[in-house]
Amino acid sequence: MNRIISENGLALIKRFEGCRLTAYQDSVGVWTIGYGHTLDVSKGRTITQQQADHYLRADCANAEKAVNRYIHIYHWNQNQFDALVSFTFNCGSGNLRTLLNGGTRSISQISEKIPAYRKAGGKVLQGLVNRRAAEKTLFDTP
């Protein structure tokens, strides 16, 4: 049975992404708007709060699909699922595949590896350290 992100998971993403209704360049220079939305964003673009919420749900759907590809192996609880959707939203499905080692890592091994994904542009960022710690805490919650 496929899962969707809970309100708790959305709150985690919102907390770390923040919401900006005017396009800005993120720490590695990618044009971003809303809660970390990057598709078809350019300098000077503005959106409404309603559009930001819509983009967040749409972007989460992509991350949910990636995490759900492994549900038959791991049978995620809601907290594990939410943590990994947040992770995938931020790091991408390729990094999820690496984190899970293609579905061969154990739950405890996945938990141990989450904090390693703390760099952007080759640099450790405190915001990513904090986000991975929050994701790991959520992932480890029954």
Side-chain angles (χ1 to χ4, degrees):
M1 176 181 112
N2 284 350
R3 290 191 177 270
I4 60 169
I5 194 166
S6 72
E7 289 301 318
N8 190 34
L10 285 172
L12 177 68
I13 293 171
K14 287 178 176 182
R15 178 165 51 117
F16 285 101
E17 292 291 339
C19 184
R20 292 167 87 176
L21 302 179
T22 301
Y24 66 97
Q25 286 182 290
D26 69 9
S27 62
V28 293
V30 176
W31 284 101
T32 307
I33 203 162
Y35 296 102
H37 181 76
T38 59
L39 186 64
D40 296 326
V41 180
S42 57
K43 183 178 181 178
R45 180 157 182 220
T46 61
I47 60 173
T48 65
Q49 182 64 52
Q50 184 178 17
Q51 287 172 305
D53 292 338
H54 172 77
Y55 285 146
L56 176 60
R57 285 283 185 182
D59 292 340
C60 281
N62 292 331
E64 289 166 347
K65 184 177 178 183
V67 178
N68 274 318
R69 284 188 193 114
Y70 298 93
I71 201 160
H72 68 283
I73 298 170
Y74 294 106
H75 309 286
W76 312 117
N77 71 36
Q78 189 66 52
N79 291 325
Q80 291 166 334
F81 183 82
D82 288 350
L84 291 177
V85 170
S86 174
F87 175 91
T88 305
F89 183 94
N90 183 241
C91 297
S93 59
N95 280 313
L96 173 68
R97 189 171 37 258
T98 302
L99 173 66
L100 305 180
N101 198 29
T104 63
R105 285 204 170 107
S106 69
I107 293 291
S108 62
Q109 289 170 325
I110 294 166
S111 175
E112 290 171 19
K113 297 284 185 185
I114 290 171
Y117 294 80
R118 63 189 201 276
K119 292 182 181 180
K123 298 178 184 176
V124 174
L125 299 181
Q126 189 59 50
L128 292 179
V129 171
N130 297 345
R131 183 175 187 153
R132 297 291 97 81
E135 290 166 347
K136 181 181 183 329
T137 298
L138 183 58
F139 186 86
D140 292 341
T141 303

